[in-house]
Amino acid sequence: VLGEAARRRRRGGWEPGDRVIMCFCGHKVRGETDVELLSNARNHIDEAHPERTDQTDEQLLARAEKQSP
């Protein structure tokens, strides 16, 4: 069963209010909730920046911003 965020992505977009972390490499990590945002951020870090796995959840969330329309 898909969550609401996954259904929106399938329809082609993100909604204003979703949270975003801009990675230093330029990739935007998005999530509807803190849990989804952290999961997506950890996946990106593991795949693209395995040398940076020492960042805490608190450090990642401190960089999160609301997605602008």
Side-chain angles (χ1 to χ4, degrees):
V1 174
L2 292 175
E4 179 60 26
R7 281 192 293 276
R8 283 188 282 142
R9 283 192 296 277
R10 283 214 168 153
R11 289 192 310 257
W14 295 89
E15 298 289 326
D18 286 351
R19 307 239 351 225
V20 175
I21 297 173
M22 274 299 293
C23 183
F24 68 89
C25 72
H27 180 77
K28 286 184 180 180
V29 178
R30 294 180 173 98
E32 182 179 6
T33 64
D34 286 351
V35 171
E36 183 180 37
L37 182 64
L38 286 171
S39 175
N40 293 342
R42 292 284 175 215
N43 288 338
H44 173 70
I45 291 168
D46 290 346
E47 291 174 10
H49 314 291
E51 71 283 358
R52 300 197 56 131
T53 57
D54 61 336
Q55 294 183 61
T56 67
D57 290 349
E58 291 78 20
Q59 289 171 317
L60 292 170
L61 289 175
R63 296 173 44 205
E65 299 177 2
K66 290 274 187 182
Q67 175 69 40
S68 57

